[in-house]
Amino acid sequence: MNRCLLAINAGSATLKFRAFSPDGRTLLARGMVDRFGSKEARLRLADAKGQALAERDLADAAHAAALAAVLNSLADQGLEAQALVHRVVHGGSRFREPVRIDAEVRAALDDYIALAPLHQPVSLEVVDAFSELDPRLPQIACFDTAFHATQPTVATRFGIARHWHDEGVRRYGFHGLSYAAISRRLPELGLAHGKVVVCHLGSGASACAIESGKSVASSMGFSAVDGLMMGSRPGYIDPEVILYWQEHEGMGVKDVRRELYKNSGLLGVSGVSADMRELLASDLPEAREAVELFCYRAAREAASLAAAMRGLDGLVFTAGIGEHSAEVRARILQQLSWLGFDLDHAANLAHARRLTAAGSRLPAYVLPTDEEGEMARQAARLL
């Protein structure tokens, strides 16, 4: 049996996992549990190249049953987890590095449920379920907020009373594991010490200003709702809109949260879908407007982040939409052409790594994100 680091990325409906060599450098296997937490859960396992190794229905809604199936499916391939590495969305101001989860850490992570009410509980439920399966198996938390701990105070404050900031009401930033993975690769582009805007565009979307490999500012703030428009989240919204809903529409906290997380963004504007691929293929004016707004917000935020760095040396697209939608990239770069981006249309359509022409004053690139790989590397250093 070969030992491995098992990176766990739990969502509300899916659980992604990847097995890495103990040094965190080599991918050994990858898998997913679809409909995680339901009786229709289905496990898929593939090798490092994506070739299918196993696929089966789980027929059990319990998280523990699905996680046991994950460990067993890996064992069938001769892989035994020596440690589990979890993506935890919120580490607050306290957790700025990966940490081994003991009783004290586990209790402290409950404090951040209020700051990430839809994301944090799922991760912690998975941690608890694994603890029940095998209490001896080391578990490590890697935080999406940690990469942004280098931001200056001016980038983290809201214009509210000081005591609120001191109590934790501040900008944190998210998608940090994705940005850390991209930051690690910036030297390949000659941007190790550059000022770079990275656009993480997927069903969840954000942008980050990275200078000399460190986070300077982020579009996301106190929560993962802020900033760019997303699949079903609005991004930036005037707080008075929420007060209007509560005062004039009689909406309670649960209603507002559902509207912000489930009924807004691409889905809300289009009335059709949260999937960018479907919207780009649609002839409906509402779908076209949703795409236009998504690209407008991304371009506007990218320019704002360049201002935060007082300059810009390049731009990088990553995540599902950023890596695969030439149309979205083209629209954003064309809106930013005044900054010095000269799009190479052929390269963009071919999904080449460099998207801009040879004579472009500023370069733009596509890099695949690797959140699970980043988790494994961070955990290997800790172990």
Side-chain angles (χ1 to χ4, degrees):
M1 193 76 73
N2 295 315
R3 306 187 78 190
C4 66
L5 286 176
L6 184 57
I8 303 292
N9 192 340
S12 58
T14 61
L15 180 135
K16 295 188 292 184
F17 60 94
R18 293 191 179 189
F20 291 87
S21 57
D23 62 3
R25 297 178 181 274
T26 304
L27 177 63
L28 304 175
R30 66 181 78 192
M32 175 182 289
V33 178
D34 283 321
R35 300 183 180 88
F36 180 58
S38 78
K39 291 184 178 180
E40 291 76 38
R42 186 170 182 81
L43 184 147
R44 295 179 175 88
L45 180 67
D47 64 17
K49 296 181 179 180
Q51 296 296 313
L53 296 174
E55 184 171 347
R56 64 188 180 94
D57 294 325
L58 301 182
D60 193 326
H63 284 166
L67 301 178
V70 168
L71 295 178
N72 290 334
S73 67
L74 291 171
D76 290 342
Q77 304 300 321
L79 295 172
E80 179 184 16
Q82 71 170 33
L84 303 171
V85 192
H86 298 270
R87 175 191 174 218
V88 178
V89 168
H90 219 302
S93 301
R94 172 178 174 180
F95 296 107
R96 300 183 171 211
E97 300 286 345
V99 62
R100 185 162 176 168
I101 302 173
D102 56 18
E104 179 187 354
V105 169
R106 173 62 189 83
L109 294 179
D110 277 337
D111 295 340
Y112 304 116
I113 289 176
L115 304 184
L118 295 189
H119 297 87
Q120 197 85 347
V122 177
S123 299
L124 298 183
E125 287 169 12
V126 170
V127 168
D128 293 342
F130 271 121
S131 293
E132 292 178 9
L133 285 172
D134 187 351
R136 300 165 300 174
L137 192 59
Q139 299 195 70
I140 295 167
C142 293
F143 301 94
D144 257 340
T145 48
F147 181 74
H148 303 293
T150 55
Q151 291 182 8
T153 301
V154 69
T156 67
R157 280 195 178 274
F158 293 117
I160 55 179
R162 178 171 292 272
H163 73 88
W164 291 116
H165 180 89
D166 295 341
E167 291 175 27
V169 182
R170 44 155 290 184
R171 300 182 66 87
Y172 290 97
F174 299 91
H175 290 143
L177 291 166
S178 175
Y179 292 125
I182 296 299
S183 179
R184 186 186 298 277
R185 296 191 60 187
L186 290 179
E188 300 174 19
L189 309 178
L191 293 170
H193 303 290
K195 299 176 179 182
V196 183
V197 169
V198 180
C199 294
H200 176 108
L201 306 180
S203 58
S206 67
C208 182
I210 298 177
E211 184 172 357
S212 296
K214 298 183 182 300
S215 176
V216 173
S218 171
S219 64
M220 283 184 168
F222 179 69
S223 74
V225 173
D226 199 11
L228 306 187
M229 190 171 85
M230 306 172 221
S232 60
R233 286 172 264 172
Y236 170 77
I237 186 170
D238 186 333
E240 194 66 33
V241 172
I242 296 170
L243 297 178
Y244 173 85
W245 285 340
Q246 293 176 321
E247 291 180 348
H248 298 283
E249 299 298 325
M251 294 170 65
V253 172
K254 290 184 178 179
D255 300 320
V256 170
R257 182 164 285 135
R258 185 183 307 110
E259 198 68 24
L260 292 176
Y261 281 91
K262 301 295 184 182
N263 298 332
S264 298
L266 292 172
L267 176 62
V269 175
S270 71
V272 176
S273 175
D275 191 318
M276 179 62 76
R277 295 166 296 185
E278 294 181 16
L279 297 180
L280 288 170
S282 174
D283 292 328
L284 291 174
E286 295 86 354
R288 292 197 296 269
E289 185 177 30
V291 174
E292 181 182 9
L293 183 56
F294 182 92
C295 297
Y296 168 80
R297 285 296 311 159
R300 182 171 166 177
E301 193 65 37
S304 171
L305 292 170
M309 294 184 288
R310 297 182 175 88
L312 185 62
D313 297 313
L315 185 145
V316 175
F317 292 99
T318 193
I321 296 172
E323 292 173 31
H324 302 296
S325 179
E327 174 69 16
V328 169
R329 294 193 303 256
R331 291 189 185 204
I332 294 171
L333 289 175
Q334 285 164 353
Q335 190 162 335
L336 293 173
S337 61
W338 62 277
L339 279 173
F341 293 104
D342 181 9
L343 179 65
D344 182 330
H345 292 278
N348 183 42
L349 289 172
H351 302 289
R353 184 162 77 162
R354 179 171 173 131
L355 304 172
T356 43
S360 180
R361 189 174 73 81
L362 289 177
Y365 301 93
V366 175
L367 288 177
T369 192
D370 185 17
E371 292 171 310
E372 291 83 8
E374 180 64 25
M375 293 159 57
R377 286 187 289 268
Q378 289 186 15
R381 290 198 304 270
L382 181 63
L383 290 172

